[in-house]
Amino acid sequence: MKQAYEEYTKENHLVWKTLFERQIVLLPKAATKEYLKGIEIIKFTQDHIPNFEQTNALLRDATGWEIAVVPGLIPDKEFFELLSNKKFPASTWLRKMEELDYLEEPDMFHDVFAHVPLLTNQAFVNFLQELSQIALEHIDNPLAIDLLSRIYWFTVEFGLIHEEEGLRIYGAGILSSAGETVFCLGDTPPRYDYNVSQILNTPYRKDVFQDRYFVIDSYEQLYTSIQDIKTALNKILSEKKMSTD
């Protein structure tokens, strides 16, 4: 599949511009510095929807990654195969003006605006690739995929990071949501240090603001936790197997 760039309508470009401008005013004091640096590297602007061919050339120079066009949500196996091959799956459709605040299924603004800038950070994409390879090793085990999805959810989608300037956002599910950008850094939600075992034992919901967040100290910490993820996952799966034998 390819991005049919010439088929985007005036409304599509207006939706991108509206969402971009609404988020970009919040992010200098909310988003991780690596995300903000990434926006500059891949040259995202409010003026037009990103052209994937141009973005991919910049991404490949930065970390060797690229965007792969998908029709929307895809099966787990296809999703993790793309990530393990340094390809980030992204849809090309955009929400309507009347859908600016909530969608049941992620659109291009979430996939591209929120996810792609951080693909310029090498430690982060190394983590993403390694996590996906673990998932592929267990792709026929629904329990394992559910548990690994929790790691993905509380890091890639809804992760926070300690930086010199204070608490910052790197999770794409937050970066594409004006409401949750403000909420997650406020006084209400509990926040915990990044802990693999705790995350593996924490279910999540997709239809509300998160009721807890996990905070990393660095992207290197994410990458070096891969062995901990393997160990903790195998322990849970082994205990589950013993209990059913």
Side-chain angles (χ1 to χ4, degrees):
M1 296 184 65
K2 291 186 177 182
Q3 180 189 37
Y5 195 86
E6 67 284 353
E7 295 182 9
Y8 286 123
T9 65
K10 289 183 179 180
E11 181 185 1
N12 293 148
H13 286 282
L14 180 58
V15 166
W16 173 271
K17 179 180 175 67
T18 302
L19 291 170
F20 189 105
E21 290 180 341
R22 187 169 71 174
Q23 279 301 94
I24 207 66
V25 298
L26 298 173
L27 297 185
K29 293 184 178 181
T32 172
K33 58 188 177 184
E34 290 299 315
Y35 173 86
L36 298 172
K37 184 190 302 182
I39 281 188
E40 294 182 3
I41 291 172
I42 56 179
K43 304 183 187 302
F44 278 3
T45 173
Q46 71 268 31
D47 296 332
H48 56 79
I49 293 168
N51 183 303
F52 288 5
E53 288 187 6
Q54 297 171 2
T55 302
N56 280 343
L58 297 170
L59 272 179
R60 285 191 291 266
D61 285 344
T63 56
W65 278 62
E66 61 183 38
I67 303 169
V69 176
V70 295
L73 295 176
I74 57 176
D76 291 333
K77 186 173 187 292
E78 185 178 345
F79 177 76
F80 289 119
E81 282 178 343
L82 286 170
L83 292 178
S84 69
N85 287 294
K86 301 182 181 181
K87 299 178 186 295
F88 192 86
S91 55
T92 59
W93 63 277
L94 270 167
R95 68 193 76 180
K96 303 294 184 183
M97 285 297 293
E98 61 268 23
E99 300 173 316
L100 290 182
D101 292 315
Y102 178 74
L103 285 176
E104 292 187 6
E105 180 179 344
D107 69 343
M108 190 189 74
F109 186 76
H110 168 81
D111 291 346
V112 177
F113 175 87
H115 276 289
V116 171
L118 205 52
L119 298 181
T120 60
N121 179 278
Q122 192 65 58
F124 179 77
V125 294
N126 288 346
F127 166 75
L128 199 54
Q129 186 177 26
E130 293 280 351
L131 184 67
S132 301
Q133 289 171 353
I134 299 172
L136 289 173
E137 293 172 8
H138 298 278
I139 199 63
D140 295 322
N141 186 328
L143 174 59
I145 297 304
D146 177 63
L147 294 172
L148 291 170
S149 295
R150 296 177 184 184
I151 298 288
Y152 186 94
W153 185 262
F154 286 113
T155 58
V156 178
E157 291 291 353
F158 288 92
L160 301 178
I161 183 171
H162 289 297
E163 293 186 343
E164 291 181 5
E165 298 77 11
L167 195 63
R168 293 293 184 264
I169 301 161
Y170 72 93
I174 310 174
L175 292 171
S176 60
S177 167
E180 194 147 6
T181 293
V182 175
F183 173 78
C184 75
L185 297 178
D187 296 330
T188 302
R191 294 180 283 263
Y192 304 95
D193 291 339
Y194 177 66
N195 182 293
V196 167
S197 294
Q198 187 178 354
I199 293 175
L200 287 173
N201 286 283
T202 304
Y204 60 87
R205 288 179 58 182
K206 296 182 178 181
D207 58 339
V208 294
F209 286 173
Q210 299 305 296
D211 61 2
R212 71 199 71 187
Y213 299 90
F214 292 89
V215 189
I216 61 173
D217 294 320
S218 69
Y219 298 106
E220 288 73 17
Q221 181 189 17
L222 273 184
Y223 180 53
T224 57
S225 74
I226 286 294
Q227 186 56 54
D228 292 337
I229 294 171
K230 291 180 180 179
T231 301
L233 177 65
N234 287 334
K235 180 180 179 183
I236 294 173
L237 296 179
S238 177
E239 291 173 349
K240 178 70 174 178
K241 186 176 185 301
M242 289 177 62
S243 68
T244 56
D245 285 346

